[in-house]
Amino acid sequence: MENNVENIIARANRIPVWSLPYSFLAIIGVGYFFTFYDISDIGLAMPAIDAQFHLGSSTSLFLALSVGLIGYGIGSYLIGSTADVIGRYKSMIITMALTALGSFGDAISLNVPELTIFRFITGLGLGADLNLVSTYISEFAPPGVRGKITVYTFLVGILGQAVTPFIGLELVPVYYDGWRWLFGIGAIIAFIALILRFELPESPRWLALKKKDIKKAEKILEMMERTAERKIGKLPEPDVTRVDTESGKFPTLYLFKRPYSTRLSLLVIVWFFWYIGNYAFLGDSASLLSSAGFSISSSILYLAIGAIGYPVGAIIMIATADKFERKYVIFIDTVVWFIGLTLFALKMDITLFIGSFLASMALGMYLQVAYTFTAENYPTRARSSGFALTDGLGHIGGAFGAIFLPVLVASYSFSFGFEFIAVTGLIAGILVLIGGTRATGKPLENISA
């Protein structure tokens, strides 16, 4: 059996091109589109919800946002670790079903408690989906173009973050129930993504290592090989090498053995610091600008124009993700983030536009490359669990940032608060630069060995 497992992995590693239909990337991208749409829509809806629910300066609305992020963390681990047991395919169906249900509930919520419940449900699905998509793509993408392929999918998704402010601008300030329509559109997108995902295959690496269905893994690989041969001709012979096929433990237990325990500790801290600023910027900026004296329309407009930076950042990564060592790329991304938020903190018209653009571009540059890097650091038998635990614990930083940024702004100043999240993002990049592994262009088994 082990020889069969090693042969399947060797056959997967010898394929140098994307060997599934490109429509599968689009299918995954639609789900990603919703993920990033939802990350943005709550922040855009918050000023209108605040006014309608008469919250004033209460922190209830920020708690509603943070509960969603807590859901991210719980969902990421529970469903993500389950994916190492029942498979990537089934788990990705579950995540999208939860997000569709949660987003529909967001749209019909009548008060903050209801919104909090449905934000939690949405978060359960979204947190796990971020984990699973990166794991899934990493296990299909060839080593030499793994970064580029994952960014292609991410580019479709990041458009959700780019267009959401413009949709919000047309709905939230204009219509009384505009924020409900904003969530409702997200629910429709999530439902479409759910239906499309039934077309996706299971990961042959997971099938082989879990010894679930070797014949099914071989059938998927044969399809991939035929696709690759039509593109480039005859494939090289598989280079069968020894692979650790142990799979009897609960997947999370592998993460507490070296080298994974060290990687887990580092990456949890990295994502904690990154998510502090990520979710504070996305979730609180519109409300904090509004509280600082800008109208709801102008507050959203600053972010909408800046959101053009999301796809720009992703396009930059398509050209660079596999040409340079990933940990260096990640560090540079955080430097751009620091510059953008430093400008945004100045709170002048021109610096708000430029700062929003650079911060958004940094997000577009950082996220998928860092997701890919995280997935690469763990073995196939516990890759989803490793990413899930990392991302789940990291999201605590997001919940912290969403609550703490308004407190900093109220206690000190707008500039102090946004400079704080500029620094936390830069810290994440410095940690990766100092302690991160080299991953670009290597087979997954070589990175995670």
Side-chain angles (χ1 to χ4, degrees):
M1 179 68 74
E2 287 190 6
N3 288 337
N4 288 337
V5 173
E6 291 170 354
N7 185 57
I8 286 173
I9 292 173
R11 287 169 63 187
N13 284 337
R14 71 172 173 161
I15 300 174
V17 295
W18 178 252
S19 53
L20 292 175
Y22 281 106
S23 61
F24 287 3
L25 289 178
I27 288 171
I28 296 169
V30 171
Y32 240 175
F33 183 98
F34 169 77
T35 296
F36 289 104
Y37 177 97
D38 184 84
I39 287 172
S40 295
D41 65 6
I42 182 64
L44 300 173
M46 281 170 65
I49 297 171
D50 185 9
Q52 289 182 28
F53 292 168
H54 307 293
L55 295 174
S57 60
S58 169
T59 59
S60 295
L61 195 55
F62 296 110
L63 290 173
L65 172 62
S66 294
V67 165
L69 295 179
I70 292 169
Y72 277 38
I74 294 173
S76 180
Y77 179 69
L78 289 181
I79 302 174
S81 60
T82 300
D84 282 327
V85 179
I86 68 172
R88 293 27 172 151
Y89 169 78
K90 292 178 182 177
S91 298
M92 287 200 299
I93 297 298
I94 293 171
T95 59
M96 198 48 59
L98 284 171
T99 55
L101 172 63
S103 195
F104 177 75
D106 294 339
I108 62 173
S109 295
L110 299 178
N111 49 52
V112 169
E114 288 183 12
L115 180 63
T116 300
I117 291 170
F118 284 112
R119 288 308 298 169
F120 180 79
I121 294 172
T122 307
L124 287 174
L126 289 181
D129 207 60
L130 284 171
N131 155 22
L132 289 168
V133 167
S134 297
T135 297
Y136 184 83
I137 293 293
S138 292
E139 292 182 0
F140 278 102
V145 293
R146 188 161 51 237
K148 180 186 293 186
I149 293 296
T150 55
V151 175
Y152 278 142
T153 305
F154 176 75
L155 181 58
V156 178
I158 204 67
L159 290 174
Q161 213 156 18
V163 304
T164 307
F166 291 99
I167 296 173
L169 187 62
E170 292 297 319
L171 293 175
V172 177
V174 178
Y175 303 101
Y176 181 79
D177 286 332
W179 65 272
R180 297 186 186 277
W181 287 104
L182 188 63
F183 286 128
I185 291 170
I188 293 170
I189 296 170
F191 181 75
I192 292 171
L194 171 63
I195 299 302
L196 292 174
R197 283 194 177 182
F198 285 98
E199 298 293 319
L200 299 176
E202 181 57 88
S203 164
R205 290 178 188 271
W206 178 83
L207 287 169
L209 279 176
K210 298 301 290 186
K211 303 179 178 65
K212 293 290 185 180
D213 194 334
I214 295 296
K215 289 185 178 180
K216 186 174 181 180
E218 290 177 338
K219 185 176 180 180
I220 295 170
L221 264 176
E222 288 169 3
M223 178 268 289
M224 293 169 64
E225 289 166 339
R226 288 194 300 269
T227 301
E229 287 173 346
R230 285 197 297 269
K231 292 181 177 180
I232 63 170
K234 184 175 176 60
L235 295 173
E237 289 299 313
D239 181 13
V240 180
T241 57
R242 174 68 178 159
V243 175
D244 183 0
T245 58
E246 181 185 1
S247 61
K249 298 179 182 178
F250 182 64
T252 301
L253 296 179
Y254 289 107
L255 304 175
F256 297 100
K257 296 169 55 178
R258 288 186 177 274
Y260 309 122
S261 58
T262 302
R263 297 178 184 182
L264 176 66
S265 299
L266 172 68
L267 291 170
V268 166
I269 296 170
V270 166
W271 282 107
F272 180 90
F273 275 99
W274 177 257
Y275 279 144
I276 287 175
N278 188 160
Y279 285 100
F281 176 69
L282 294 173
D284 294 336
S285 293
S287 288
L288 291 175
L289 284 169
S290 181
S291 298
F294 296 92
S295 68
I296 292 178
S297 295
S298 60
S299 299
I300 295 176
L301 182 62
Y302 288 123
L303 300 175
I305 298 299
I308 298 171
Y310 295 126
V312 171
I315 291 169
I316 291 171
M317 287 300 99
I318 288 175
T320 60
D322 293 307
K323 291 186 178 179
F324 305 100
E325 181 53 50
R326 264 188 267 289
K327 69 175 186 174
Y328 301 142
V329 173
I330 290 170
F331 170 70
I332 292 170
D333 298 344
T334 63
V335 172
V336 176
W337 167 265
F338 177 81
I339 295 170
L341 265 294
T342 297
L343 290 172
F344 195 86
L346 297 177
K347 204 176 61 173
M348 297 183 291
D349 281 344
I350 186 64
T351 63
L352 285 171
F353 281 120
I354 297 174
S356 179
F357 175 84
L358 288 177
S360 300
M361 187 175 76
L363 283 167
M365 294 166 66
Y366 179 97
L367 285 172
Q368 190 54 48
V369 174
Y371 288 148
T372 301
F373 180 78
T374 301
E376 289 170 329
N377 271 269
Y378 299 114
T380 299
R381 61 180 176 270
R383 179 165 294 116
S384 184
S385 298
F387 194 118
L389 193 57
T390 301
D391 196 57
L393 292 174
H395 268 96
I396 296 173
F400 170 79
I403 295 175
F404 198 56
L405 178 60
V407 174
L408 288 178
V409 170
S411 301
Y412 297 98
S413 68
F414 184 94
S415 296
F416 183 90
F418 280 90
E419 191 61 36
F420 173 81
I421 63 173
V423 171
T424 58
L426 183 60
I427 289 172
I430 292 171
L431 290 172
V432 171
L433 180 66
I434 294 172
T437 58
R438 292 179 175 270
T440 302
K442 296 182 179 180
L444 289 174
E445 288 69 30
N446 291 1
I447 303 167
S448 61

